[in-house]
Amino acid sequence: METQTPTSKHSPLLKSCSNGSFRLRSPSLNSLRLRRIFDLFDSNHDSFITIEEITRALTLLGLDANASDLDTMIKSYVHPGNVGLTYEDFVTLHRSINDLFFGMDDVEEAVGSKEEQEEGDLNEAFKVFDENGDGFISAAELQLVLGKLGFTEAIEMGRVKMMISSVDLNHDGCVDFSEFKDMMRVLQ
């Protein structure tokens, strides 16, 4: 298996189909957010994430995962007798990937301010929802992303519109980056 140096911008396991970058690390990614990610990947809600569940989730997010490399990496974090990763295993895996692939970025980014890092992370998150790149998240775009992630809220457009209106401060029917930032900071 070919290894990559920590300065590499792309993991050999994960490749973005849309914008060429996928970062698992974020300075503002707290345990609540990591738990939400775990719960999203745990599609059968058995408190374990299997290789199949991770592969399916990454595919739904538009990421191409090398199944063999993914299997090898993840198995080393699964405790004997378990069918997959527990939440604690998932946290350990997350930290290891962060250290391996983004450790040098942390040194380089330490020069920049924490606010700049947070702004960049929020911008990347916003782009996930802004499917057409117009600078706004519409109800249709939110519905599409929620559907890809398997949220039942995606079935009813009325619920999606309520989600939009709850953060749409200027009442234009869309969420702009400023509104998205405000919403994310409240969730932290």
Side-chain angles (χ1 to χ4, degrees), residues 38-113:
F38 180 87
D39 291 341
L40 286 173
F41 281 30
D42 182 18
S43 59
N44 65 358
H45 308 293
D46 66 353
S47 298
F48 291 100
I49 300 176
T50 64
I51 303 297
E52 294 78 21
E53 287 173 320
I54 289 177
T55 302
R56 184 177 31 238
L58 294 174
T59 300
L60 289 172
L61 291 170
L63 302 168
D64 182 28
N66 180 314
S68 175
D69 288 342
L70 190 61
D71 185 56
T72 301
M73 175 187 255
I74 300 220
K75 277 187 178 176
S76 67
Y77 289 89
V78 174
H79 286 87
N82 288 348
V83 296
L85 296 168
T86 64
Y87 174 69
E88 292 75 21
D89 300 335
F90 183 69
V91 170
T92 302
L93 172 64
H94 176 269
R95 285 187 186 133
S96 295
I97 291 172
N98 177 51
D99 293 345
L100 179 63
F101 293 108
F102 304 112
M104 294 302 289
D105 287 349
D106 290 341
V107 173
E108 293 168 11
E109 290 175 358
V111 176
S113 73

Side-chain angles (χ1 to χ4, degrees), residues 2 12 15 31 43 57 61 67 70 80 84 100 105 107-108 120-122 131 137-138 159 163 167 176 178 180 184:
E2 183 180 325
K15 296 177 184 170
S31 61
S43 59
L61 291 170
L70 190 61
L100 179 63
D105 287 349
V107 173
E108 293 168 11
D121 292 336
L122 288 172
E131 291 270 322
I137 301 170
S138 67
R159 290 183 77 181
M163 294 169 79
V167 296
D176 61 30
S178 177
F180 181 79
M184 295 304 287

Side-chain angles (χ1 to χ4, degrees), residues 110-123:
V111 176
S113 73
K114 184 177 179 179
E115 293 79 22
E116 288 172 345
Q117 285 181 294
E118 184 176 305
E119 183 88 8
D121 292 336
L122 288 172
N123 190 35

